[in-house]
């Protein structure tokens, strides 16, 4: 029987194909960059080498993300992809600085380049990088894959710029165009990587998920009938698309059997409005005392532990 590939499996297949194509292009751009004396092409080789490492790292992360939770990793390996994206973005920052410094040096010491060879190799790069970027786009909601997608999209644009630079050098003889293009490429790499660094660092530091307002979450929870107050509220990301919440909720005094309806409504709102898939909610029926050790960002609120009821949603 033919098995339908899962999204995770399809993602792995796309990453494998991307690895093969990128490795071939790294060799081509480096060899022909040396022959053409083109810093822009050699910069592309370095950029694509970082892409290759990024793809390998992302492939490993996708493999680990698919592994189930266990007693030592109770949330599984959901942050493997986030960590891979953080490392990828960090390497891109370093690479962009290296390219910029080399380009500045080349501006002071010009080197004659071979524009026709530049243009030919860059044209092949536009096709290859564009194809890989298109394949990765469908999975780009995952921050791990999005970091690789931005690598490849940046490569597509920068190799297209190399073609334009080669044409400019061919018709005008201005060799300074090559290092200036390298500076543009470096700026593009830096710009694309900083956003990924900020997002992944926020996840690793368990910050509130991007585009989510804690006040809006509290307001939605307090809108459930029977809920008097929401405090000690924490929301964080387990992975790029998986969010968790822990909170104390003060409710009217009622039999424990009636609490399940409130809990169901809370979890439903959190899932539908904020895509929060894991919750730990503690019910209380009276005011809270600070002595019980709760912390309530961003507002300081009293905390207590009377009439506790825990609700978990996965």
């Amino acid at each position: 029987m033919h098995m339908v590939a899962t999204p995770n499996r399809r993602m792995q297949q796309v990453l494998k194909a991307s690895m093969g194509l990128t490795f071939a292009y790294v060799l081509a751009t480096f060899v022909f960059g040396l022959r053409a004396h083109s810093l822009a092409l050699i910069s592309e080789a370095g950029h694509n080498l970082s892409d290759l490492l990024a793809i390998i790292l992302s492939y490993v992360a996708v493999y680990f993300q698919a592994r189930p939770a266990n007693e030592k990793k109770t949330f599984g390996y959901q942050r493997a992809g986030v960590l891979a994206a953080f490392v990828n973005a960090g390497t891109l920052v370093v690479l962009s600085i290296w390219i910029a410094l080399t380009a500045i040096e080349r501006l002071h010491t010009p080197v004659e380049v071979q524009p026709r060879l530049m243009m030919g190799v860059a044209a092949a790069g536009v096709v290859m990088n564009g194809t890989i970027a298109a394949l990765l786009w469908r999975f780009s909601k995952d921050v791990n894959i999005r970091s690789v997608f931005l690598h490849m999209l940046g490569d597509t644009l920068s190799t297209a710029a190399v073609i334009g630079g080669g044409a400019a050098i061919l018709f005008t003889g201005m060799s300074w165009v090559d290092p200036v293009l390298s500076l543009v490429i470096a700026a593009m790499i830096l710009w694309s990587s900083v956003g990924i660094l900020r997002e992944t660092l926020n996840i690793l530091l368990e910050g509130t998920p991007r585009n989510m307002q804690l006040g809006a979450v509290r307001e939605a929870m307090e809108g459930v009938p029977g809920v008097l107050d929401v405090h000690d509220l924490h929301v964080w990301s387990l992975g790029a698309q998986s969010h968790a919440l822990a909170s104390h909720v003060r409710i009217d005094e009622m039999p424990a059997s009636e609490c399940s309806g409130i809990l169901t409504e809370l979890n439903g709102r959190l899932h539908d409005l904020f895509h929060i898939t894991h919750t730990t909610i503690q019910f209380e029926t009276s005011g809270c005392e600070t002595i019980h050790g709760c912390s309530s960002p961003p507002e300081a609120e009293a905390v207590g532990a009377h009439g506790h009821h825990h609700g978990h949603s996965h």
Side-chain angles (χ1 to χ4, degrees):
M1 180 182 294
H2 177 70
M3 298 294 291
V4 178
T6 64
N8 190 274
R9 179 66 176 169
R10 289 195 297 270
M11 196 183 298
Q12 288 180 325
Q13 291 170 348
V14 168
L15 289 172
K16 280 183 179 179
S18 301
M19 273 188 268
L21 289 171
T22 304
F23 178 72
Y25 188 64
V26 166
L27 290 179
T29 49
F30 183 71
V31 171
F32 288 110
L34 291 176
R35 290 183 59 182
H37 305 292
S38 170
L39 178 61
L41 276 183
I42 295 174
S43 299
E44 279 299 292
H47 189 186
N48 280 274
L49 179 60
S50 75
D51 287 346
L52 179 61
L53 296 175
I55 294 169
I56 293 172
L57 193 57
S58 293
Y59 179 83
V60 173
V62 168
Y63 167 77
F64 275 103
Q65 283 180 165
R67 297 182 64 181
N70 54 51
E71 290 186 357
K72 291 188 176 181
K73 300 289 185 297
T74 56
F75 280 118
Y77 294 82
Q78 296 186 61
R79 286 192 178 170
V82 177
L83 185 59
F86 179 78
V87 173
N88 286 342
T91 60
L92 278 177
V93 170
V94 174
L95 180 65
S96 65
I97 294 172
W98 176 80
I99 291 174
L101 292 175
T102 306
I104 291 170
E105 181 180 355
R106 182 67 67 90
L107 282 171
H108 290 293
T109 311
V111 175
E112 185 178 353
V113 299
Q114 298 180 28
R116 287 187 176 86
L117 190 55
M118 275 178 65
M119 295 166 66
V121 177
V126 169
V127 174
M128 185 210 71
N129 290 319
T131 300
I132 294 175
L135 291 172
L136 292 171
W137 168 250
R138 62 186 300 186
F139 303 108
S140 61
K141 287 185 177 180
D142 185 295
V143 69
N144 173 30
I145 301 302
R146 188 161 73 252
S147 70
V148 182
F149 166 75
L150 286 175
H151 271 269
M152 307 315 297
L153 180 62
D155 279 353
T156 304
L157 297 175
S158 59
T159 46
V162 171
I163 296 175
I169 295 171
L170 181 63
F171 292 110
T172 66
M174 297 184 297
S175 296
W176 57 262
V177 172
D178 183 63
V180 168
L181 274 175
S182 298
L183 286 172
V184 174
I185 293 171
M188 290 173 59
I189 296 171
L190 185 63
W191 177 82
S192 65
S193 58
V194 167
I196 295 292
L197 271 178
R198 291 177 61 184
E199 181 178 353
T200 53
L201 188 60
N202 185 61
I203 293 174
L204 293 173
L205 293 177
E206 299 192 341
T208 302
R210 186 180 61 165
N211 300 326
M212 186 181 297
Q213 299 296 323
L214 206 62
V217 176
R218 180 182 285 108
E219 183 178 350
M221 294 176 70
E222 290 180 343
V224 173
V227 173
L228 302 178
D229 173 68
V230 174
H231 52 273
D232 198 20
L233 176 61
H234 305 265
V235 184
W236 69 99
S237 295
L238 301 172
Q241 300 298 319
S242 177
H243 308 313
L245 174 146
S247 178
H248 286 196
V249 175
R250 188 163 62 91
I251 60 174
D252 291 317
E253 290 195 33
M254 64 182 70
S257 59
E258 296 181 17
C259 295
S260 59
I262 297 178
L263 183 60
T264 300
E265 177 67 18
L266 284 169
N267 285 325
R269 289 194 180 195
L270 292 170
H271 180 273
D272 296 340
L273 297 176
F274 306 103
H275 308 290
I276 295 174
T277 54
H278 180 96
T279 65
T280 302
I281 296 173
Q282 178 172 298
F283 285 158
E284 299 165 343
T285 56
S286 64
C288 299
E289 302 295 337
T290 307
I291 193 172
H292 289 90
C294 295
S295 59
S296 182
E299 302 168 2
E301 299 188 29
V303 185
H306 301 285
H308 290 172
H309 177 81
H310 293 278
H312 299 274
S313 171
H314 302 273

